[in-house]
Amino acid sequence: MPPTTTQTSVLERFLRYVQIDTTSDQDSDTVPSTAKQLVLLDLLVKELQALGLSDAERDAQGIVMATLPATSSKKDIPVIGWLAHVDTSPDMSGANVKPIVHKNYDGRDLVLPDEPSAVLSPREDADLAGKRGEDIVTASGTTLLGADDKSGVAVVMAAVEYLLQNPSIPHGRIRVAFTPDEEIGRGVRHFDVARFGAYCAYTLDGAALGTLEAETFSADAMTVTFQGRNTHPGFAHGTMVNAVKVAADFVNRLPKDSLSPETTQEREGFVHPNDMVSSVDRTSVRFIIRDFETAGLAVKEDFLRELARETVDEWPGSSVTFEVKESYRNMRDVLAKHPKVVDLAREAIRRTGLTLRETRIRGGTDGSILSEMGLPTPNIFTGQHRFHSRLEWISVQDMEKSVQVLAQLAQLWAEG
Ligand SMILES: [Zn+2]
């Protein structure tokens, strides 16, 4: 049954969702990683059903799916999907978020009341400087806001409601999904691509107005393990080989002016030691490996192997082993086989009257994993800024533009 109420604003939805604590937890083994994410996921099921999407449901892994029926009678319109993640980053508290709407922003510094040292200044933030006259939402200074990615959740919900209330807009069948645990890289590992049944999808999890992202890093995790020889330190003369020292020597040989997160930008990849598990007997150095070219990962991994072998050669009695695990792959390689997926997103952004900004993500998205799983999924802006921090902010008008982009996109797919 079509809804009879007036359109719920994207802002009203956003303010409701950010007040629900949905922080994910990388140290948890449960699925989803925190039970509190289910509170928002279950609320979304109720709201989707109230809008009339009667098949809305959440599965045991926390993934919500629902269907917006077609309004066009054309038979061959591909099914598209819209996705957003409900969790927020463990890097900053997401409990008791108190959103503040700064209406008709006049360009002044925004001092967040619960932490006076937290100041958003247009002098340091060019995007904020461009938002005079718009309505800016921030948190109150002690938490993140959660625009990453509750803005995406609000945009998808508002777009669904908009299309339901405007049935004269022709579109095909649209699948909607909300997922947990994106911030810890696991949310869509349990995503049933076949059950979702879409030709392609779009994550609503991008930053500045007009942004479209169809390229991410390719990523591996690598562990380099040094084996030493432990003895009682009082009787170690001539026999002990200390794996902690071998590993330290190896780390010290890493290039200091290249190949690291702190020395690379744009298209450059890196090798990044981010954890060590150490004992005299055995010490492991854990790396994340990143490159926009998947083939470039192996080059970087071979470089580390060579460096580690050179190191153990100078520590007689030590040895080294390697383990590489795939994390995710650059979605560009999958999207290149489905050019229409990105082309229509470009066109939808232009038709909304926006300047298209195509950027590469120096990281991964749920879409990198989904694209590899067979669901090509680029990323569209919602307007979120300074995410994972107490200075996170978003413009209400940017979110409204994102809703319009989705409505345009639905029509473009129906036009064929
Ligand atoms: Zn996000």
Side-chain angles (χ1 to χ4, degrees):
M1 205 164 67
T4 49
T5 51
T6 53
Q7 164 98 6
T8 315
S9 78
V10 66
L11 174 62
E12 186 184 328
R13 291 190 182 282
F14 178 69
L15 295 178
R16 179 159 68 241
Y17 305 151
V18 298
Q19 291 178 67
I20 301 170
D21 177 6
T22 55
T23 311
S24 49
D25 177 5
Q26 58 224 340
D27 297 324
S28 161
D29 293 326
T30 62
V31 180
S33 68
T34 53
K36 56 193 178 183
Q37 295 177 70
L38 298 175
V39 175
L40 176 52
L41 289 159
D42 287 341
L43 173 70
L44 293 167
V45 170
K46 283 206 191 88
E47 292 189 359
L48 287 163
Q49 287 174 344
L51 286 172
L53 274 52
S54 53
D55 69 343
E57 59 174 1
R58 167 177 72 73
D59 68 17
Q61 281 79 36
I63 293 168
V64 171
M65 291 187 188
T67 310
L68 177 65
T71 52
S72 168
S73 55
K74 270 202 212 167
K75 289 281 171 261
D76 55 350
I77 304 173
V79 177
I80 64 167
W82 295 339
L83 278 77
H85 67 90
V86 299
D87 66 313
T88 60
S89 168
D91 293 349
M92 183 83 208
S93 170
N96 303 311
V97 173
K98 289 185 265 172
I100 303 168
V101 184
H102 309 264
K103 283 206 163 155
N104 192 12
Y105 176 58
D106 61 2
R108 68 188 186 285
D109 283 1
L110 295 174
V111 181
L112 304 185
D114 293 343
E115 175 52 67
S117 72
V119 179
L120 265 168
S121 170
R123 288 184 305 280
E124 293 155 13
D125 190 327
D127 279 337
L128 181 64
K131 298 298 183 192
R132 276 172 191 263
E134 299 186 15
D135 304 321
I136 305 299
V137 189
T138 66
S140 62
T142 52
T143 66
L144 49 64
L145 174 62
D148 177 9
D149 183 31
K150 285 156 183 172
S151 59
V153 176
V155 164
V156 169
M157 291 296 292
V160 166
E161 186 169 14
Y162 176 79
L163 289 181
L164 282 166
Q165 294 190 331
N166 294 276
S168 61
I169 297 175
H171 62 82
R173 199 162 168 260
I174 295 170
R175 291 281 276 161
V176 168
F178 299 113
T179 59
D181 290 338
E182 188 269 354
E183 298 292 355
I184 56 171
R186 304 185 203 148
V188 294
R189 292 283 175 202
H190 304 278
F191 193 92
D192 188 340
V193 169
R195 189 164 76 88
F196 194 55
Y199 167 70
C200 68
Y202 300 88
T203 47
L204 278 296
D205 194 16
L209 183 69
T211 300
L212 174 64
E213 290 158 325
E215 196 173 341
T216 58
F217 269 145
S218 279
D220 280 349
M222 182 171 184
T223 305
V224 181
T225 301
F226 296 94
Q227 184 66 48
R229 196 189 303 134
N230 194 15
T231 60
H232 187 291
F235 303 89
H237 185 263
T239 56
M240 179 186 278
V241 181
N242 188 340
V244 176
K245 292 184 180 174
V246 183
D249 184 10
F250 164 69
V251 171
N252 195 44
R253 291 172 192 236
L254 290 168
K256 294 177 179 60
D257 53 1
S258 64
L259 269 189
S260 59
E262 63 271 30
T263 59
T264 54
Q265 57 185 337
E266 303 286 328
R267 289 204 74 88
E268 301 166 315
F270 54 75
V271 302
H272 176 45
N274 63 354
D275 196 15
M276 263 170 105
V277 182
S278 55
S279 72
V280 173
D281 180 57
R282 199 179 160 85
T283 293
S284 294
V285 186
R286 292 184 186 150
F287 285 85
I288 62 169
I289 316 290
R290 298 289 185 267
D291 202 295
F292 283 104
E293 304 302 323
T294 299
L297 294 174
V299 175
K300 291 183 165 58
E301 288 151 12
D302 283 345
F303 167 75
L304 290 180
R305 285 189 187 93
E306 191 53 41
L307 204 63
R309 288 192 187 109
E310 281 170 20
T311 308
V312 298
D313 281 351
E314 293 184 21
W315 292 84
S318 71
S319 61
V320 62
T321 54
F322 308 96
E323 189 190 16
V324 174
K325 277 193 187 149
E326 178 178 325
S327 299
Y328 56 84
R329 291 293 176 255
N330 189 341
M331 61 166 78
R332 173 197 59 196
D333 302 336
V334 173
L335 291 171
K337 294 175 200 150
H338 307 273
K340 202 170 171 183
V341 176
V342 179
D343 283 347
L344 292 189
R346 288 185 182 116
E347 184 58 23
I349 290 170
R350 286 194 206 103
R351 274 204 201 178
T352 306
L354 305 174
T355 305
L356 177 66
R357 300 193 207 187
E358 288 196 66
T359 56
R360 278 182 300 273
I361 309 174
R362 285 178 63 82
T365 67
D366 274 347
S368 343
I369 299 169
L370 289 168
S371 295
E372 245 190 302
M373 289 163 73
L375 183 67
T377 308
N379 189 34
I380 294 175
F381 76 92
T382 64
Q384 49 184 282
H385 286 84
R386 312 280 289 266
F387 28 90
H388 301 192
S389 84
R390 67 182 84 232
L391 296 178
E392 192 179 11
W393 63 271
I394 193 162
S395 149
V396 176
Q397 285 72 18
D398 284 0
M399 281 195 280
E400 288 168 349
K401 285 281 191 297
S402 182
V403 174
Q404 289 177 35
V405 168
L406 287 188
Q408 290 288 354
L409 190 55
Q411 290 176 77
L412 282 161
W413 276 98
E415 286 168 18

